[in-house]
Amino acid sequence: MARQTLKVGLAGLGAVGLEVARRIEAGIPGLALTAVAVRDVAKAKRNLPEAGKRIAIVPVETLAQSCDVVVECLPPEMFRTVAVSVIEAGKIFMPLSVGQLIENWDVVERAKQTGARILVPTGALLGLDAVRAAAEGTIRSVTMITRKPPNGLDGAPYLVERGISLADLKAPLKVFDGTAREGARGFPTNVNVAAALSLAGIGPDKTRLEIWADPALTRNTHRIEVDADTARFSMTIEGIPSANPRTGRIVPLSTIAALRGLVAELKVGT
């Protein structure tokens, strides 16, 4: 029996969302971009020719009504609006603002009642499968060290609240050392990878996170160290920033890979 085409909705058409949209529009068997929710309708129509025609432009709260899966690519403050609407509709929710999932854990509990599913793409995180596998046993510790160019951290609430300026930085500066939960709260647009890592492993309160601003870097660098009863491993990834320096070019591709895995006859990895 032929597999039914999965109708995809995109909440947001920024640097990540637009790339996801264009790749689906270029043609991926089993996926169809059905609707988008945007703040700037005119810009959406310029960037995505079928927007407002074959691809409906709808309010973010109603995306789930016409879609099977909704991908969230929004500013953190809009996360809950789209999350609740998708969960209540019992559809598939794919959040990219993963740190906000930690802050709104009630939507996960609610998904158990509505039949919705929440699928977090790997994003810029290397080795998520290995962490998930290790979590089936016992993980003793998980540490993530993130290093970014200063402009990739500008405006983070944690820095603003403490009056930490990264202007004219001449040497690497450690700006945060704490838990993944605290990091997700203080850097909501910067360390979604740490939130995903914590959810795959030992949780946001046990996962340790360091964040460095490094003026010598041009790439977002993440190093993960895991000590478990089945293996000890470390991983490093250097991601090329997208048009939005807070996120990497690999994020939309990871989202496409996750969507493709929902409809492909062969899926490699968990």
Side-chain angles (χ1 to χ4, degrees):
M1 184 178 296
R3 186 178 282 108
Q4 189 174 3
T5 297
L6 200 67
K7 293 179 287 186
V8 179
L10 289 176
L13 283 179
V16 173
L18 183 59
E19 181 66 17
V20 172
R22 286 172 171 167
R23 286 178 177 267
I24 296 176
E25 283 292 274
I28 298 177
L31 297 177
L33 183 56
T34 302
V36 296
V38 295
R39 287 183 288 187
D40 189 335
V41 173
K43 183 178 179 181
K45 290 180 177 180
R46 289 196 304 271
N47 289 334
L48 202 61
E50 289 299 314
K53 302 174 184 176
R54 177 177 49 80
I55 303 169
I57 300 177
V58 301
V60 68
E61 299 90 343
T62 64
L63 263 177
Q65 294 179 13
S66 58
C67 301
D68 302 308
V69 54
V70 173
V71 181
E72 176 271 322
C73 318
L74 294 170
E77 60 270 17
M78 299 180 66
F79 175 89
R80 186 168 181 85
T81 300
V82 62
V84 169
S85 64
V86 180
I87 297 303
E88 290 300 325
K91 301 297 182 67
I92 299 173
F93 180 49
M94 190 171 288
L96 301 191
S97 303
V98 190
Q100 293 304 303
L101 194 60
I102 295 175
E103 295 294 293
N104 294 273
W105 197 251
D106 61 299
V107 301
V108 180
E109 298 301 321
R110 181 59 178 160
K112 297 176 183 177
Q113 301 168 342
T114 64
R117 299 177 64 204
I118 302 172
L119 304 180
V120 177
T122 299
L125 181 61
L126 180 73
L128 197 61
D129 274 8
V131 177
R132 290 181 59 191
E136 294 293 336
T138 300
I139 297 180
R140 301 184 187 96
S141 66
V142 179
T143 300
M144 178 172 173
I145 302 170
T146 289
R147 295 177 179 270
K148 288 193 171 189
N151 67 343
L153 294 168
D154 262 348
Y158 184 92
L159 302 181
V160 173
E161 291 166 6
R162 288 159 179 77
I164 300 173
S165 173
L166 303 180
D168 301 318
L169 195 65
K170 303 300 182 184
L173 175 68
K174 182 163 70 172
V175 296
F176 176 82
D177 189 340
T179 68
R181 182 185 299 277
E182 294 164 340
R185 189 171 295 150
F187 299 82
T189 63
N190 302 103
V191 291
N192 286 304
V193 284
L197 174 66
S198 73
L199 295 177
I202 54 177
D205 296 312
K206 294 181 179 179
T207 302
R208 302 301 304 175
L209 172 65
E210 288 183 17
I211 302 175
W212 291 72
D214 190 337
L217 294 181
T218 57
R219 299 188 176 193
N220 301 325
T221 302
H222 308 289
R223 178 176 175 82
I224 299 108
E225 299 173 351
V226 179
D227 182 19
D229 62 344
T230 53
R232 181 181 297 165
F233 50 94
S234 61
M235 306 164 283
T236 301
I237 183 169
E238 296 181 2
I240 299 174
S242 67
N244 177 352
R246 294 172 177 82
T247 190
R249 292 186 189 178
I250 199 170
V251 174
L253 277 66
S254 170
T255 305
I256 287 294
L259 289 169
R260 195 188 295 271
L262 293 173
V263 295
E265 56 279 352
L266 171 64
K267 180 174 182 290
V268 179
T270 56

